């Protein structure tokens, strides 16, 4: 398999941990989707993040991505994000509108606190009709923090993604 790429957006770090475990197991390259205006990652300020995220959602905003996504160099791209207000953060819409994923294989994953993928994998299929969107992996937040390497390995195996553990 040609090298895969993992793109992830994460504010509290749990989608990042999941992305890093996928990278460890697959050898894929990994790039964070960095917002031009960073979000407050202090969990004590959850209410203000929730309000901001709700406004972005209700006003159908497209928060700017600061860094370049090197997607043209890859055929297989994992995309990870948290659930925000029952869907993905609006910056993920920015990603799909700014970059053309036609002809690529997309493998979504997400973290959540009960909403699972919230229908976002189906949304990705709608947004990327010319991509091959494989079955995603929703990971509950506390599981993501604890780490779920076996669950991730099982998912990758089912997708027939070549599995690479570092030799001990
Ligand atoms: C603004 C905001 C909205 C959220 N909305 C939902 C939601 O609708 N459903 C859900 O299951 N979890 C929701 N969560 C919980 C996050 O999905 C969960 O904390 C996730 O692990 C965060 O990922 P991160 O650590 O990569 O930022 C929300 C969290 C935030 C900050």
């Amino acid at each position: 398999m040609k090298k895969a790429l993992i793109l992830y957006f994460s504010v509290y770090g749990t989608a990042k941990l999941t992305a890093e475990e996928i990278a460890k197991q697959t050898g894929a390259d990994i790039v964070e989707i960095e917002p031009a205006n960073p979000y407050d990652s202090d969990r004590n300020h959850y209410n203000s993040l929730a309000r901001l995220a709700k406004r972005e959602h209700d006003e159908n905003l497209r928060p700017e991505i600061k860094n370049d996504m090197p997607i043209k160099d890859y055929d297989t791209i994992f995309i990870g994000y948290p659930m925000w207000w029952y869907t993905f953060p609006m910056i993920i819409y920015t990603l799909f509108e700014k970059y053309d994923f036609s002809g690529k294989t997309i493998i979504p994953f997400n973290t959540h606190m009960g909403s699972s993928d919230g229908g976002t994998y189906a949304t990705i299929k709608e947004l990327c009709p010319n991509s091959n969107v494989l079955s995603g992996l929703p990971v509950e937040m506390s599981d993501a923090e604890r780490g779920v390497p076996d669950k991730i390995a099982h998912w990758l195996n089912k997708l027939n993604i070549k599995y690479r553990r570092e030799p001990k």
Side-chain angles (χ1 to χ4, degrees):
M1 193 179 82
K2 229 169 122 178
K3 209 164 194 187
L5 174 67
I6 302 165
L7 302 178
Y8 73 92
F9 171 73
S10 180
V11 172
Y12 291 159
T14 59
K16 176 182 165 81
L17 286 171
T18 307
E20 287 170 348
E21 179 62 30
I22 295 168
K24 189 171 151 198
Q25 294 195 19
T26 59
D29 292 331
I30 181 167
V31 172
E32 181 174 3
I33 302 165
E34 294 178 50
N37 297 309
Y39 294 92
D40 187 345
S41 60
D42 183 338
R43 296 184 192 191
N44 294 318
H45 302 162
Y46 168 80
N47 286 342
S48 67
L49 178 58
R51 269 196 305 276
L52 173 59
K54 181 94 169 64
R55 188 170 69 79
E56 289 181 352
H57 178 265
D58 291 352
E59 295 180 14
N60 201 19
L61 300 182
R62 297 290 184 270
E64 196 184 325
I65 298 173
K66 185 170 86 180
N67 51 334
D68 196 45
M69 304 288 113
I71 73 159
K72 62 175 179 338
D73 303 335
Y74 300 87
D75 295 332
T76 300
I77 304 177
F78 292 84
I79 299 178
Y81 48 83
M83 285 303 294
W84 276 10
W85 292 105
Y86 311 106
T87 184
F88 43 51
M90 300 310 285
I91 199 167
I92 301 298
Y93 277 102
T94 310
L95 176 77
F96 287 124
E97 289 174 10
K98 191 169 174 194
Y99 294 94
D100 184 4
F101 288 83
S102 296
K104 299 189 185 292
T105 296
I106 298 176
I107 312 175
F109 63 97
N110 74 285
T111 50
H112 67 92
M113 284 181 75
S115 296
S116 192
D117 82 288
T120 54
Y121 303 160
T123 304
I124 293 173
K125 283 186 187 165
E126 283 166 22
L127 293 173
C128 304
N130 300 317
S131 305
N132 179 25
V133 183
L134 304 187
S135 297
L137 182 74
V139 183
E140 203 277 327
M141 184 181 197
S142 55
D143 286 346
E145 288 193 305
R146 197 174 55 244
V148 281
D150 291 346
K151 186 177 166 150
I152 290 169
H154 183 71
W155 169 61
L156 292 169
N157 267 334
K158 261 176 75 178
L159 294 178
N160 210 11
I161 300 290
K162 209 160 170 227
Y163 182 80
R164 187 211 71 176
R165 270 213 199 270
E166 294 291 347
K168 290 203 172 126

